[in-house]
Amino acid sequence: MIRFGPSGHSASFYNEGNKHTPDAPRWLKEKGLTAFEYSFGRGVSIGQAMAEKVGAEMRKYDITLSCHAPYYINLANENDEEIVKSFGYIKRCIEAVRPMGGERIVFHTGSASKGHLAALNLALKRMEILLKHLDDEGYSGYILCPETMGKKSQLGTYEEICEICRLDSERLIPTFDWGHINSYYGGLLKTAGDYRKILDYTFERLTDKQARFMHIHFSKIQYGQAGEIRHLGFDDEIYGPDFAPLAGLLKEYKMEPVVICESRENMAEDALLMKGMYEKS
Ligand SMILES: [Zn+2]
């Protein structure tokens, strides 16, 4: 089943009197949404009692929860001590997500400031070690979702993300952030054909399961020479990308992704717009 939901809370969530994440599942359900992404971007800081409360409400209203790991993760770091820190962030996310009932952990793979190929090769080695390390320490059973990035200085073109996901077809699923892909290439995504090329590549490189159940981030994003500048809302008419062409392809390819909206302020509303486009396509 395809699912739609926001990353974090819309302005309207607070305006309607809700205060914290345990209030979100009921609110999302009433709106017709079925997914939620919890951000640990600036650190994993949820307490055990709150995590359990969130988990209970998510289950009650059948909302699928994913989390976004801290932005400081860098698998392309040459420094072994820094890598231990990156592994630690992933482990802390898993510890937090356990009581919350989530399975997917979205993360940025790292910096490409010293060149994409060198960064990819290093990240591939680190990723293999990380997966083994998670098994050895009892952190199995979770799905890591490396994300496509929007800036040229970051590792994470869709080809690089596919390459990383080829390491493990069970535990690695790509996060395709289409706003990032569009920004990285300065406005690549215009027609259904533009999306189709990337989907075809992905189905060719990954297993059917990895491609069909991919994690999706979608928002319109302003970009410049170096790629991504800032996230916008669906009211943007300049930068895009537009979700409608992708919606039709998701149906055609029988895909069942979790689609998370990262618009500014109105992420729940824009997630609903996407759901509507999907249903009409
Ligand atoms: Zn991200």
Side-chain angles (χ1 to χ4, degrees):
M1 183 178 89
I2 188 167
R3 285 175 179 264
F4 293 90
S7 161
H9 305 304
S10 275
S12 57
F13 172 79
Y14 296 110
N15 294 340
E16 289 170 28
N18 300 291
K19 288 196 172 56
H20 56 185
T21 307
D23 300 330
R26 188 176 55 84
W27 187 81
L28 294 169
K29 178 91 179 177
E30 282 170 6
K31 299 232 176 273
L33 294 169
T34 46
F36 181 78
E37 192 152 295
Y38 194 101
S39 178
F40 293 122
R42 292 187 176 80
V44 185
S45 58
I46 194 167
Q48 181 73 16
M50 179 58 97
E52 282 171 12
K53 213 168 162 185
V54 169
E57 292 298 301
M58 293 284 168
R59 273 191 297 281
K60 187 170 165 192
Y61 293 101
D62 184 30
I63 307 292
T64 285
L65 180 117
S66 50
C67 85
H68 196 306
Y71 301 130
Y72 333 118
I73 289 172
N74 181 8
L75 296 184
N77 201 316
E78 286 168 16
N79 182 321
D80 287 339
E81 279 166 36
E82 291 296 318
I83 284 297
V84 172
K85 275 193 207 161
S86 283
F87 287 7
Y89 292 131
I90 299 267
K91 288 198 285 188
R92 289 228 287 284
C93 278
I94 292 177
E95 285 161 12
V97 148
R98 244 178 219 148
M100 294 167 89
E103 190 183 40
R104 294 182 172 196
I105 301 184
V106 177
F107 69 103
H108 301 172
T109 50
S111 162
S113 54
K114 288 182 186 151
H116 275 259
L117 191 59
L120 176 62
N121 285 330
L122 201 49
L124 284 168
K125 273 187 216 142
R126 304 293 198 188
M127 194 70 217
E128 258 188 318
I129 297 168
L130 170 62
L131 289 171
K132 178 157 190 326
H133 179 75
L134 292 178
D135 276 346
D136 290 347
E137 303 221 337
Y139 289 86
S140 314
Y142 293 85
I143 296 173
L144 302 184
C145 306
E147 180 180 349
T148 58
M149 300 307 296
K151 291 185 185 139
K152 306 247 157 131
S153 59
Q154 294 166 312
L155 182 63
T157 63
Y158 64 88
E159 291 102 328
E160 287 161 354
I161 293 304
C162 285
E163 204 55 38
I164 291 168
C165 287
R166 280 167 67 87
L167 286 173
D168 191 314
S169 62
E170 293 297 319
R171 287 179 295 174
L172 296 175
I173 280 187
T175 298
F176 272 21
D177 185 316
W178 296 95
H180 281 165
I181 295 172
N182 190 57
S183 298
Y184 187 96
Y185 294 104
L188 175 74
L189 301 172
K190 300 271 189 285
T191 66
D194 301 329
Y195 285 98
R196 187 187 293 280
K197 244 183 253 167
I198 296 174
L199 286 179
D200 286 345
Y201 177 90
T202 307
F203 273 88
E204 206 172 284
R205 297 295 285 165
L206 300 181
T207 64
D208 203 55
K209 192 174 134 200
Q210 281 174 307
R212 280 185 55 223
F213 295 98
M214 67 164 57
H215 203 70
I216 287 181
H217 280 177
F218 207 101
S219 54
K220 298 195 176 194
I221 297 179
Q222 183 187 349
Y223 51 82
Q225 285 287 324
E228 173 186 7
I229 293 176
R230 68 184 187 118
H231 284 233
L232 308 166
F234 272 29
D235 53 349
D236 156 74
E237 287 173 357
I238 300 169
Y239 293 97
D242 186 7
F243 182 72
L246 178 60
L249 293 172
L250 294 179
K251 258 194 192 159
E252 184 187 323
Y253 285 65
K254 298 189 169 55
M255 292 173 70
E256 299 184 39
V258 175
V259 182
I260 297 293
C261 183
E262 290 188 320
S263 288
R264 287 156 67 85
E265 288 195 359
N266 300 321
M267 40 286 215
E269 288 76 4
D270 289 353
L272 273 174
L273 288 177
M274 286 196 279
K275 187 185 173 206
M277 287 180 222
Y278 176 77
E279 282 166 355
K280 261 190 266 156
S281 70

